[in-house]
Amino acid sequence: MNAVIFLPPQQVMAAPLAQRLAARLRLAGAACRIELTAQLPMPHEDAWHIALGEFPGLGRWLDGNATKIALSPLDWPALQAFCDAHFPLREPVYTVLADRCEAGQAVLPGEFWSTAPLPGALALQAAPPEWALGQALLAARARLAVAESCTGGGLAARLTDLPGSSAYFDRGFVTYSNAAKIALLDVREETLARTGAVSEATALEMLRGALGHGDLAVAITGIAGPGGAAPGKPVGTVCIAWGRRGGAVAADTFHFPGDRLAVRHAAGSVALGRLLELLHGRPG
């Protein structure tokens, strides 16, 4: 059976989840589309009608119809149960959070789905990767701090959108300017002068500053565009550092395609992937 996902405009921040849900249904062989609408229509086509979020008159719209369902963007178990019950997968599928994955199908920037259990892969869930990280942090009884430049707090927002995130998220630093990096994270002026703000050296110093406030931390600095490119550092260049307090730290440079939103989302997803690998015993 096919599906239509209705998303209210005031909950446009749930659009990535709607995209992920649509991709998950298509993977099971359904034709699926997303409609942004303030009022739920009364469709007559033979398809599942999914209200993803709060709409006026939702109870009347459901009307006991077996092919209409209301799902909360934050109720991951219900989303997963709906997918498993009505759109089962023919074979296992895995999520890989990386800058590229030739064996996988791109779903959202920085996120790929693959039928092969590639390094760093997670069993596919309807929930976003920030939910998987939250569960891993809870299991490890670890707290997280993040330091962000080009993502402007976007990763912290993704993590703290989840109910119960106060159990594992300690704080986030949005250090957009060089002065903020120096004042809040103890990034050295000589490092910024020598390598620039977008460098693995700067990301590592941001990381060390954040690790003073968490068991694990991640730092992101880059050029999200459309301007800001420099010689050897085109738009889409992002440096990410991650590590554990008292343990190994690592950094890498990525080149993400797409517009500003795509670069920022991909940077956050890859950062989540590196933290998940760290918690699963793969230091990167």
Side-chain angles (χ1 to χ4, degrees):
M1 184 175 284
N2 300 328
V4 184
I5 300 171
F6 300 108
L7 186 69
Q10 69 271 24
Q11 295 184 29
V12 71
M13 292 302 290
L17 180 63
Q19 291 175 265
R20 183 178 290 107
L21 179 58
R24 165 66 178 77
L25 301 187
R26 292 183 191 119
L27 202 61
C32 183
R33 71 176 190 270
I34 301 169
E35 290 188 9
L36 201 65
T37 178
Q39 297 286 335
L40 286 167
M42 300 301 289
H44 302 288
E45 56 190 299
D46 182 22
W48 271 98
H49 305 113
I50 305 165
L52 191 63
E54 292 295 326
F55 288 90
L58 182 59
R60 293 191 304 275
W61 179 80
L62 289 170
D63 195 26
N65 190 313
T67 59
K68 292 180 183 177
I69 186 171
L71 295 171
S72 166
L74 297 180
D75 190 350
W76 321 127
L79 284 165
Q80 191 68 39
F82 170 76
C83 291
D84 291 343
H86 302 286
F87 296 89
L89 297 175
R90 299 180 183 88
E91 57 184 327
V93 179
Y94 303 89
T95 299
V96 184
L97 301 167
D99 60 327
R100 66 185 69 84
C101 176
E102 293 182 3
Q105 171 192 358
V107 179
L108 291 169
E111 180 177 336
F112 301 83
W113 293 358
S114 170
T115 53
L118 301 167
L122 304 165
L124 177 64
Q125 304 239 8
E130 47 267 33
W131 180 85
L133 178 63
Q135 298 306 298
L137 288 166
L138 283 173
R141 297 185 177 181
R143 293 186 67 80
L144 175 68
V146 302
E148 301 180 67
S149 185
C150 66
T151 46
L155 179 57
R158 288 172 65 172
L159 288 158
T160 57
D161 274 345
L162 307 183
S165 53
S166 59
Y168 51 81
F169 186 86
D170 190 276
R171 68 189 71 190
F173 298 90
V174 180
T175 54
Y176 215 61
S177 68
N178 285 353
K181 293 177 178 67
I182 294 166
L184 297 177
L185 297 171
D186 294 325
V187 175
R188 295 176 296 174
E189 290 186 47
E190 52 266 37
T191 301
L192 291 164
R194 185 180 75 254
T195 67
V198 181
S199 67
E200 292 178 19
T202 294
L204 283 166
E205 292 193 9
M206 292 171 63
L207 173 72
R208 292 188 178 99
L211 277 172
H213 306 278
D215 302 303
L216 283 82
V218 66
I220 304 172
T221 180
I223 305 168
K233 298 178 182 179
V235 168
T237 302
V238 179
C239 299
I240 301 175
W242 62 96
R244 190 189 301 268
R245 183 192 293 172
V249 299
D252 205 350
T253 300
F254 303 90
H255 299 280
F256 299 118
D259 61 12
R260 184 176 179 84
L261 290 176
V263 170
R264 285 158 58 106
H265 191 88
S269 292
V270 171
L272 290 167
R274 295 304 182 265
L275 288 168
L276 280 162
E277 289 185 352
L278 181 63
L279 282 167
H280 292 162
R282 296 184 292 269

